[in-house]
Amino acid sequence: INNRLIRRFEKLKHITNDIHTNNTSSTSSSSSSFDRGYVLCAANFMIPDLIRTLYELRFTWNSKLPIIINHCEEINEQNYPLIQHFQPITIINLCPVGKKQIMSMDRDFAVKRLRGFFCIVASIINSPFKETMYMDIDTIWVCDIFFLCLVIVSKVLMIA
């Protein structure tokens, strides 16, 4: 592998480190408004994967960015303490009881519609961050992006 390619991957490694270690800063008097943050969607059956993802973000990547976890009546409140251990974190029920209209939909329809893929769309639309990174719970984490890039390049070179 040539040196120019290695230098490019080193720059990429520094950029990803900067993204994950950037501190949040409030942009207004509201505590829910930040420059950058993560949004995720989850349900009760995803709690083990969610905990793994949150652990990776906080302890492997040392990210201090705020995280918002969205759901549409899919996470029981008994699971909130497990999730809130990874502060700063906010859990938002997109379909709260008592609300008649949710994103221009009747509540009953919204509860069915805002699950799965459409939870992702609603999470991004409702994000309070200027820069939002959506993360799937089934993300596979690589501790060193440089190593991943070298593996990809070596596979490409083997094929060529």
Side-chain angles (χ1 to χ4, degrees), residues 39-43 45-46 70-72 74 94-95 103 105 110-126 134-138:
V39 294
L40 301 106
C41 289
F45 72 93
M46 299 176 182
N70 295 283
H71 67 97
C72 190
E74 297 172 282
L94 295 171
C95 305
M103 297 183 78
M105 294 180 275
V111 167
K112 295 174 187 169
R113 192 68 169 152
L114 294 178
R115 294 182 176 191
F117 173 77
F118 293 105
C119 178
I120 297 169
V121 176
S123 297
I124 293 169
I125 290 171
N126 290 327
Y134 177 80
M135 298 193 59
D136 270 331
I137 302 298
D138 60 353

Side-chain angles (χ1 to χ4, degrees), residues 1-17 144-154 156-157:
I1 300 175
N2 67 33
N3 290 334
R4 194 174 79 196
L5 189 59
I6 291 174
R7 283 192 303 273
R8 273 192 196 163
F9 289 132
E10 281 296 323
K11 283 182 184 178
L12 178 63
K13 183 177 177 182
H14 290 298
I15 290 169
T16 56
N17 285 340
D144 189 351
I145 193 75
F146 180 69
F147 175 76
L148 177 65
C149 293
L150 284 177
V151 169
I152 292 170
V153 168
S154 66
V156 168
L157 292 176

Side-chain angles (χ1 to χ4, degrees), residues 14-61:
H14 290 298
I15 290 169
T16 56
N17 285 340
D18 290 345
I19 289 170
H20 289 289
T21 58
N22 185 25
N23 292 328
T24 60
S25 61
S26 182
T27 57
S28 69
S29 59
S30 168
S31 62
S32 65
S33 181
F34 298 94
D35 286 336
R36 292 180 171 171
Y38 301 100
V39 294
L40 301 106
C41 289
N44 277 326
F45 72 93
M46 299 176 182
I47 294 296
D49 289 332
L50 175 62
I51 298 299
R52 180 187 49 80
T53 300
L54 295 174
Y55 180 87
E56 292 289 334
L57 270 175
R58 291 293 186 238
F59 300 108
T60 302
W61 289 95

